[in-house]
Amino acid sequence: MPKPLLVMDQHFRQVEELFRPGAFAELGTLCKILGGANRPMDRDAFLGALPTAEFVVAARPELTRPELDSAPELKAVIEVSGTFQAGLDYDACMERGIEVLSCAPGFRRPVAEMALGLMIAGGRGIVDEHERFRAGLERWFNDNVGTDFSLYGQTIGFVGFGSIAQECMRLLQPFAPQIRAFDPWLMSSGASFEGVCFVELEEVLTTCRCVVIAAVPTDENRQLVSRGLIEKIPHGALVVVISRSHLVDFDALVEAAAAGHIRLASDVFPSEPVSKQATWRQARNVIWSPHRAAAVEGGRHQIGDMIVHDVRAILSGSRTRHLQVASLDKIRKVICASQVALQEG
C-alpha cells in the first residue's frame, strides 16, 4: 500500500530547524514527503501535488476554497510559522473536516526558559551590575535594598496564561511563587490551574513584583497594558515582555523604566529589527533581547516531534493532538497575530 503524500513547503523555516534527524526520518516512514527543501516550493508544483496529498506542512499555508476542493484526500494542514494566519480558507477546511494545526505549542519550552532568564536577570539586577563593573562602578556586597528581589516566594503575574505562561509557571515551581494571572478566555471558560489565582488585569499589574506579558495578540488587546495602567505598577516592579509588544504601550514602558519607576526586559519590539538610532537602545533599567527567545540550538525541534506525533495519530484514528487545533472562534480572535508577527519580524 503506498504511503500517504505529505507536501512540505516549510520555508522560511529550515528542515533542520524543525526536525531532529531521527524525527524527520520517522516522518518519512509514515509519509512520502514531497518538498522539504530549504527554499520556497514552486507554487505550480505545490498545487499540482494537492489532488493526492493527505497532509500539507507549510510556513504560511495559502489555499483557497477551489484549491482545497481539488484536494479530496487532504486530512490536515499544519502551519510552522507559529500562528494561524490569513490566506487559508478556514471555513472551507472546517466544512470539509480538514484539520488545521499550529506549531505554536512547540515554542513554549525555549520561550518560557528565556522568560525565566529575563526574570532572574531583571530581578537580581545582573545586567545593571555587569555594566557597572565594566565601568568600574560596581557595588561590592551591596544588598540593593528596594531594587533587587528574589523570585523565592514572590508574587508573579501573567498577562495571558496560555502554553508559554503555563510552562513558565512549571519552571518557577522550585521558587514557590504566588501566581496571579489575567486571561479573559480562560476566566470565562471556568478553567482552573492549581496554584493560579485568576484576577482582573489591574490587580495583576498593581500587586505583582514581576509581571510577564505572554498573551497572544488580537484586535481587541492592542496596548491592553496602557499608559494609565503602567503608571499604577508599583515602584521597582519588573515587567517582562515575551509575546508581542502589541500588548503594551511600549513607549510608556520604556519611559517608566528610564525614569527609574520600573525595570523592563523585552524580547520583542514594535518594529523589528530596531533602528540603530532608536533611543530605546540607551534607556536605563532595561534588558533588551533581539527576538531570540526560541533561537537556541534544537529550540524548535519539539515542533517536528509534534508533527510526527500528530500525523501518526491522524493516520491511526487517534484524537490526541500535540499541535494546537484550530477552531473558527479561535481563528477569528487570533488571526491578526500573524499580521503583528510580520510587522515585528
Side-chain angles (χ1 to χ4, degrees):
M1 183 175 178
K3 295 179 183 177
L5 177 62
L6 183 150
V7 181
M8 184 176 293
D9 185 21
Q10 87 295 332
H11 190 81
F12 61 99
R13 300 285 187 210
Q14 306 289 296
V15 169
E16 300 79 9
E17 173 188 351
L18 296 171
F19 294 91
R20 296 176 292 104
F24 192 69
E26 187 175 356
L27 186 64
T29 68
L30 297 172
C31 300
K32 175 184 176 182
I33 300 173
L34 178 66
N38 290 331
R39 60 181 181 274
M41 189 174 183
D42 178 79
R43 184 67 178 174
D44 289 339
F46 178 86
L47 294 176
L50 278 180
T52 57
E54 295 191 32
F55 300 93
V56 167
V57 174
R60 298 188 176 106
E62 296 182 356
L63 289 167
T64 63
R65 182 180 290 270
E67 289 166 345
L68 289 165
D69 287 343
S70 76
E73 306 300 320
L74 192 59
K75 293 180 173 63
V77 177
I78 302 171
E79 74 79 27
V80 293
S81 68
T83 188
F84 299 117
Q85 301 182 46
L88 177 65
D89 192 322
Y90 293 95
D91 290 285
C93 287
M94 302 302 165
E95 291 169 17
R96 280 270 310 278
I98 299 169
E99 293 190 49
V100 183
L101 305 171
S102 169
C103 72
F107 292 94
R108 64 175 177 248
R109 288 180 180 173
V111 176
E113 180 184 51
M114 175 65 88
L116 178 59
L118 293 174
M119 293 165 74
I120 293 173
R124 296 299 300 272
I126 292 172
V127 175
D128 289 346
E129 289 304 314
H130 165 78
E131 292 300 330
R132 281 179 171 274
F133 199 101
R134 287 161 59 92
L137 300 172
E138 70 272 19
R139 298 175 288 192
W140 293 96
F141 312 117
N142 188 300
D143 286 345
N144 287 339
V145 176
T147 55
D148 288 3
F149 61 88
S150 171
L151 293 182
Y152 281 96
Q154 195 58 256
T155 304
I156 297 173
F158 290 93
V159 178
F161 202 70
S163 60
I164 290 171
Q166 291 167 33
E167 178 67 12
C168 193
M169 187 187 80
R170 189 184 70 80
L171 296 178
L172 285 165
Q173 288 310 297
F175 297 97
Q178 300 176 53
I179 302 292
R180 295 175 185 170
F182 171 73
D183 191 311
W185 297 354
L186 291 178
M187 293 164 75
S188 64
S189 71
S192 63
F193 295 81
E194 185 176 356
V196 179
C197 179
F198 284 101
V199 297
E200 294 302 322
L201 176 62
E202 185 167 338
E203 184 171 345
V204 169
L205 294 170
T206 58
T207 64
C208 296
R209 189 67 186 269
C210 177
V211 176
V212 181
I213 309 299
V216 173
T218 70
D219 286 327
E220 291 78 21
N221 64 19
R222 182 178 294 276
Q223 294 197 2
L224 178 70
V225 181
S226 64
R227 179 177 291 273
L229 287 173
I230 291 167
E231 291 172 353
K232 296 181 180 181
I233 296 175
H235 180 81
L238 169 66
V239 177
V240 176
V241 187
I242 202 66
S243 56
R244 296 289 176 181
S245 64
H246 169 103
L247 278 294
V248 301
D249 185 326
F250 203 80
D251 287 330
L253 274 180
V254 176
E255 290 170 18
H261 177 64
I262 64 170
R263 286 181 174 178
L264 170 64
S266 184
D267 185 57
V268 290
F269 301 86
S271 179
E272 298 178 359
V274 175
S275 165
K276 293 292 194 296
Q277 289 72 45
T279 57
W280 297 332
R281 291 179 178 272
Q282 280 70 49
R284 296 173 55 248
N285 300 313
V286 299
I287 301 174
W288 298 137
S289 171
H291 205 146
R292 56 187 299 273
V296 63
E297 185 177 358
R300 299 183 181 92
H301 283 173
Q302 191 180 15
I303 294 171
D305 294 342
M306 289 179 168
I307 291 172
V308 172
H309 174 277
D310 285 8
V311 166
R312 186 188 300 278
I314 290 169
L315 292 174
S316 68
S318 168
R319 298 305 304 169
T320 303
R321 301 289 180 267
H322 288 177
L323 296 163
Q324 184 179 21
V325 180
S327 67
L328 288 180
D329 285 345
K330 186 177 295 180
I331 292 300
R332 292 186 179 110
K333 287 181 181 293
V334 307
I335 194 67
C336 87
S338 62
Q339 308 307 317
V340 174
L342 291 174
Q343 293 165 11
E344 297 187 12

PDB file of all heavy atoms in Angstrom, residues 16 27 95 268 315 339:
ATOM      1  N   GLU A  16      16.136  21.420   9.182  1.00  0.00           N
ATOM      2  CA  GLU A  16      16.951  21.092  10.354  1.00  0.00           C
ATOM      3  C   GLU A  16      16.547  21.898  11.576  1.00  0.00           C
ATOM      4  O   GLU A  16      16.803  21.494  12.715  1.00  0.00           O
ATOM      5  CB  GLU A  16      18.433  21.340  10.055  1.00  0.00           C
ATOM      6  CG  GLU A  16      18.988  20.519   8.915  1.00  0.00           C
ATOM      7  CD  GLU A  16      18.641  21.064   7.534  1.00  0.00           C
ATOM      8  OE1 GLU A  16      18.092  22.190   7.439  1.00  0.00           O
ATOM      9  OE2 GLU A  16      18.919  20.358   6.544  1.00  0.00           O
ATOM     10  N   LEU A  27       9.198  10.670  10.129  1.00  0.00           N
ATOM     11  CA  LEU A  27       8.103  11.193   9.312  1.00  0.00           C
ATOM     12  C   LEU A  27       8.126  10.554   7.926  1.00  0.00           C
ATOM     13  O   LEU A  27       7.071  10.260   7.351  1.00  0.00           O
ATOM     14  CB  LEU A  27       8.220  12.718   9.203  1.00  0.00           C
ATOM     15  CG  LEU A  27       7.078  13.442   8.496  1.00  0.00           C
ATOM     16  CD1 LEU A  27       5.772  13.278   9.264  1.00  0.00           C
ATOM     17  CD2 LEU A  27       7.398  14.926   8.316  1.00  0.00           C
ATOM     18  N   GLU A  95     -15.608  22.938   7.051  1.00  0.00           N
ATOM     19  CA  GLU A  95     -16.731  22.272   6.373  1.00  0.00           C
ATOM     20  C   GLU A  95     -16.321  20.900   5.849  1.00  0.00           C
ATOM     21  O   GLU A  95     -17.114  19.954   5.862  1.00  0.00           O
ATOM     22  CB  GLU A  95     -17.230  23.148   5.226  1.00  0.00           C
ATOM     23  CG  GLU A  95     -17.928  24.422   5.681  1.00  0.00           C
ATOM     24  CD  GLU A  95     -18.166  25.393   4.534  1.00  0.00           C
ATOM     25  OE1 GLU A  95     -18.084  24.945   3.357  1.00  0.00           O
ATOM     26  OE2 GLU A  95     -18.412  26.583   4.791  1.00  0.00           O
ATOM     27  N   VAL A 268      10.891  41.483  22.431  1.00  0.00           N
ATOM     28  CA  VAL A 268      10.157  41.906  21.233  1.00  0.00           C
ATOM     29  C   VAL A 268      10.011  43.426  21.212  1.00  0.00           C
ATOM     30  O   VAL A 268      10.078  44.085  22.251  1.00  0.00           O
ATOM     31  CB  VAL A 268       8.768  41.244  21.165  1.00  0.00           C
ATOM     32  CG1 VAL A 268       8.888  39.755  20.880  1.00  0.00           C
ATOM     33  CG2 VAL A 268       7.996  41.454  22.464  1.00  0.00           C
ATOM     34  N   LEU A 315      -3.365   9.286  11.129  1.00  0.00           N
ATOM     35  CA  LEU A 315      -3.388   8.075  10.299  1.00  0.00           C
ATOM     36  C   LEU A 315      -3.944   6.871  11.054  1.00  0.00           C
ATOM     37  O   LEU A 315      -4.555   5.989  10.452  1.00  0.00           O
ATOM     38  CB  LEU A 315      -1.980   7.768   9.786  1.00  0.00           C
ATOM     39  CG  LEU A 315      -1.406   8.773   8.771  1.00  0.00           C
ATOM     40  CD1 LEU A 315       0.042   8.433   8.450  1.00  0.00           C
ATOM     41  CD2 LEU A 315      -2.251   8.796   7.499  1.00  0.00           C
ATOM     42  N   GLN A 339      -0.377  39.063  11.429  1.00  0.00           N
ATOM     43  CA  GLN A 339      -0.016  40.365  10.902  1.00  0.00           C
ATOM     44  C   GLN A 339       0.941  41.083  11.838  1.00  0.00           C
ATOM     45  O   GLN A 339       1.902  41.720  11.416  1.00  0.00           O
ATOM     46  CB  GLN A 339      -1.291  41.205  10.697  1.00  0.00           C
ATOM     47  CG  GLN A 339      -2.371  40.506   9.886  1.00  0.00           C
ATOM     48  CD  GLN A 339      -1.856  39.976   8.548  1.00  0.00           C
ATOM     49  OE1 GLN A 339      -1.108  40.657   7.859  1.00  0.00           O
ATOM     50  NE2 GLN A 339      -2.246  38.763   8.218  1.00  0.00           N
TER      51      GLN A 339
END
